[in-house]
């Protein structure tokens, strides 16, 4: 028993150390970076949920991506000010707080740290089950040294939380595929809801993540047979449990709200003017609520706003060009430009190692981890919102796992094992130097 506990503690020590490293690197940036353009808006919406019990400022970003950012300022004494404009409200929360503004900004950014730790631990776990505990451990440290990932973990916006909650959904998807049961199906629904409540882009990324994880199971006769043998007689109950859990968690995230979605064109001018306010825009309040019985109506409004936003596009820049319609290669180019070369080399080695392992013995978990980030990037090709790679940073935990597998494989490929380990150490050192 003592040996088993010692082994478990040694395993947990690795992602714990990686988390301490990552948190330290992120917190060190707080005094050096003033609050960014959109941080106040996210804090304003989260504060409204905490202080007023409503969520009406802007529904395109769900509460889970914003409320954690407002908890720190709330504990410091900040409260809602009642401004109609979300930007004025956010600036007032920062600047009119009982605490100094730098403390309020740091407290809001600290709301991201639990999600950073969660992402590192899930990356370690997924890497351990797909490849090996050693690969999972290296993956945890590689993620903790990933500059783009850490950069977004250091500001109070929804992008990092969206990436971490997508990883939560992937965790429960893989867990259910490994052990299909009603209980795990309910957890799957909860995980999907958490991702949807973290960032609205999960509407696209969760289905492709599920497809990437399920495809290797379905394509392998033994894996497919084992899954359906375990799921036999329970599929309908599992579907019901998944849908029910998804619905309940999302509804709870909106405080079990009710309302009626109304097209602004059908609203009286006086009512519309009162909602829009002096400085608001019609886009910000499109399909606002008047009354009646739709549960979690804010979520439905947010979905519609997201599709409208994507249809209208957003001005962005790529390789000397400025446009509003997006580019099919935007996220691929951004990935290659923003990711350190050592990470890319180890990641490529991981894919080579995965192919080698699959030739010896087929394991669908390896295929799932390898395919998920590729499916996510492919699904983003038609996107017209190309305002930065931040929308796709959810690929980094999976690429970190592949890089971790590449590091372990590289240390054993060369005839002199010490030479391979030294080469891996050099690559990791270069990666650390770039943080």
């Amino acid at each position: 028993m003592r040996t088993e506990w010692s082994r478990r503690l040694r395993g947990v020590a690795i992602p714990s150390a990686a988390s301490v490293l990552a948190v330290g690197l992120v917190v060190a940036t707080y005094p050096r970076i003033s609050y960014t353009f959109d941080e106040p808006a996210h804090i304003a919406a989260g504060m409204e949920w905490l202080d007023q019990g409503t969520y009406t400022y802007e529904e395109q970003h769900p509460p889970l991506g914003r409320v954690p950012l407002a908890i720190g300022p709330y504990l410091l004494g900040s409260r809602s000010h009642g401004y109609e404009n979300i930007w004025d409200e956010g600036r007032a929360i920062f600047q009119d707080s009982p605490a100094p503004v730098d403390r309020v900004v740091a407290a809001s950014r600290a709301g991201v740290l639990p999600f950073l730790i969660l992402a590192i631990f899930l990356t370690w776990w997924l890497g351990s089950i797909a490849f090996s505990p050693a690969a999972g451990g290296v993956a945890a440290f590689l993620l903790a040294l990933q500059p783009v990932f850490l950069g977004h973990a250091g500001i109070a916006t929804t992008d990092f939380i969206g990436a971490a909650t997508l990883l939560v959904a992937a965790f429960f998807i893989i867990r259910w595929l490994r052990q299909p049961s009603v209980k795990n199906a309910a957890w799957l629904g909860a995980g999907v809801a958490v991702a949807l409540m973290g960032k609205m882009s999960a509407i696209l990324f969760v289905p492709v993540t599920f497809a990437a994880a399920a495809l290797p199971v379905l394509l392998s006769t033994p894996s497919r047979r084992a899954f359906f043998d375990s799921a036999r007689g329970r599929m309908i109950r599992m579907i019901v449990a998944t849908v029910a859990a998804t619905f309940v968690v999302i509804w709870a995230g909106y405080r079990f709200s009710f309302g009626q979605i109304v097209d602004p064109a059908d609203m009286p001018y006086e009512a519309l003017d009162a909602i829009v306010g002096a400085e608001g825009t019609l886009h910000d309040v499109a399909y606002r609520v008047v009354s009646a019985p739709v549960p979690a109506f804010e979520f439905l409004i947010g979905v519609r706003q997201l599709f409208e936003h994507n249809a209208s596009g957003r001005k962005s820049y790529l390789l000397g060009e400025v446009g509003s319609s997006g580019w099919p290669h935007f996220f691929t180019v951004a990935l290659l430009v923003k990711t350190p070369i050592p990470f890319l080399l180890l990641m490529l080695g991981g894919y080579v190692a995965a192919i080698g392992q699959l030739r010896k013995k087929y394991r669908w978990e390896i295929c799932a981890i390898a395919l998920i980030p590729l499916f996510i990037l492919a699904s983003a090709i038609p996107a017209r919102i190309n305002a930065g790679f931040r929308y796709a940073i959810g690929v980094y935990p999976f690429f970190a796992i592949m890089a971790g597998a590449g590091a372990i494989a590289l240390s054993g490929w060369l005839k002199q094992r010490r030479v391979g380990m030294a080469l891996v150490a050099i690559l990791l050192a270069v990666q650390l130097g770039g943080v």
Side-chain angles (χ1 to χ4, degrees):
M1 179 66 71
R2 182 174 298 177
T3 303
E4 176 66 16
W5 274 105
S6 299
R7 186 183 64 81
R8 291 184 179 183
L9 288 174
R10 285 196 300 270
V12 174
I14 295 175
S16 298
S19 297
V20 171
L21 173 62
V23 169
L25 291 171
V26 168
V27 172
T29 67
Y30 289 173
R32 304 176 185 176
I33 304 175
S34 62
Y35 64 78
T36 60
F37 173 75
D38 51 352
E39 282 181 280
H42 295 308
I43 305 305
M47 188 64 71
E48 181 196 9
W49 190 97
L50 283 173
D51 190 29
Q52 304 296 320
T54 58
Y55 198 75
T56 61
Y57 269 125
E58 190 251 5
E59 296 89 346
Q60 188 175 332
H61 296 84
L64 184 56
R66 286 171 155 173
V67 173
L69 311 178
I71 292 176
Y74 185 88
L75 294 176
L76 290 177
S78 298
R79 294 295 184 269
S80 296
H81 290 72
Y83 285 93
E84 292 180 345
N85 184 279
I86 190 173
W87 308 100
D88 293 337
E89 176 73 5
R91 285 189 291 269
I93 291 172
F94 274 167
Q95 297 170 1
D96 298 337
S97 171
V101 64
D102 57 339
R103 285 190 62 196
V104 179
V105 173
S108 65
R109 291 173 174 174
V112 182
L113 296 180
F115 295 91
L116 173 60
I117 297 170
L118 177 64
I120 290 174
F121 268 82
L122 290 181
T123 299
W124 163 73
W125 185 86
L126 290 171
S128 297
I129 66 165
F131 290 96
S132 68
V138 175
F141 274 98
L142 283 171
L143 190 64
L145 298 175
Q146 170 49 249
V148 178
F149 207 64
L150 292 182
H152 287 286
I155 54 177
T157 61
T158 62
D159 300 301
F160 189 91
I161 294 178
T165 52
L166 178 62
L167 188 59
V168 170
F171 168 82
F172 284 112
I173 288 170
I174 292 175
R175 182 185 179 189
W176 177 73
L177 289 171
R178 295 181 80 207
Q179 298 176 337
S181 67
V182 176
K183 177 182 177 181
N184 284 343
W187 279 111
L188 168 61
V192 168
V194 164
L196 292 172
M197 294 295 289
K199 195 169 181 66
M200 201 64 77
S201 57
I203 290 176
L204 171 64
F205 293 150
V206 166
V208 299
T209 298
F210 185 91
L215 187 62
V217 176
L218 298 177
L219 292 181
S220 167
T221 300
S223 300
R224 182 176 66 250
R225 187 173 297 160
F227 172 81
F228 284 107
D229 285 345
S230 299
R232 182 175 294 129
R234 292 180 291 176
M235 190 60 73
I236 294 178
R237 285 183 293 162
M238 288 192 292
I239 293 173
V240 171
T242 301
V243 174
T246 302
F247 171 75
V248 170
V249 173
I250 290 177
W251 195 18
Y254 289 100
R255 292 176 172 264
F256 298 103
S257 60
F258 281 96
Q260 179 181 357
I261 303 172
V262 178
D263 192 314
D266 298 332
M267 296 177 63
Y269 174 80
E270 294 79 7
L272 183 61
D273 184 60
I275 294 175
V276 173
E279 299 182 30
T281 64
L282 184 62
H283 175 76
D284 292 334
V285 296
Y287 308 98
R288 186 66 72 196
V289 156
V290 180
S291 62
V294 178
F297 62 87
E298 301 97 334
F299 180 77
L300 300 178
I301 294 172
V303 172
R304 186 151 192 172
Q305 288 180 351
L306 174 66
F307 281 100
E308 289 177 346
H309 187 184
N310 186 66
S312 62
R314 185 171 179 178
K315 184 175 288 188
S316 51
Y317 174 87
L318 179 67
L319 300 178
E321 297 182 14
V322 177
S324 300
S325 301
W327 296 270
H329 53 290
F330 177 87
F331 289 102
T332 303
V333 172
L335 172 71
L336 296 175
V337 170
K338 290 177 175 290
T339 306
I341 292 177
F343 189 98
L344 291 174
L345 292 175
L346 291 174
M347 184 181 79
L348 179 61
Y351 276 92
V352 174
I355 293 173
Q357 289 192 35
L358 291 172
R359 285 180 175 176
K360 297 177 182 177
K361 182 180 180 181
Y362 183 84
R363 296 188 64 241
W364 67 264
E365 292 92 345
I366 294 178
C367 293
I369 296 298
L371 290 177
I372 286 173
L374 302 181
F375 273 47
I376 290 174
L377 290 176
S379 69
I381 288 176
R384 296 166 62 89
I385 306 174
N386 288 171
F389 191 69
R390 58 195 177 95
Y391 292 103
I393 60 171
V395 301
Y396 276 124
F398 304 101
F399 281 145
I401 294 171
M402 300 307 298
I408 299 302
L410 180 60
S411 66
W413 278 340
L414 301 180
K415 292 182 179 179
Q416 294 293 329
R417 185 175 177 84
R418 292 182 179 179
V419 175
M421 295 178 68
L423 182 57
V424 170
I426 292 172
L427 291 174
L428 293 176
V430 174
Q431 172 86 9
L432 176 61
V435 176

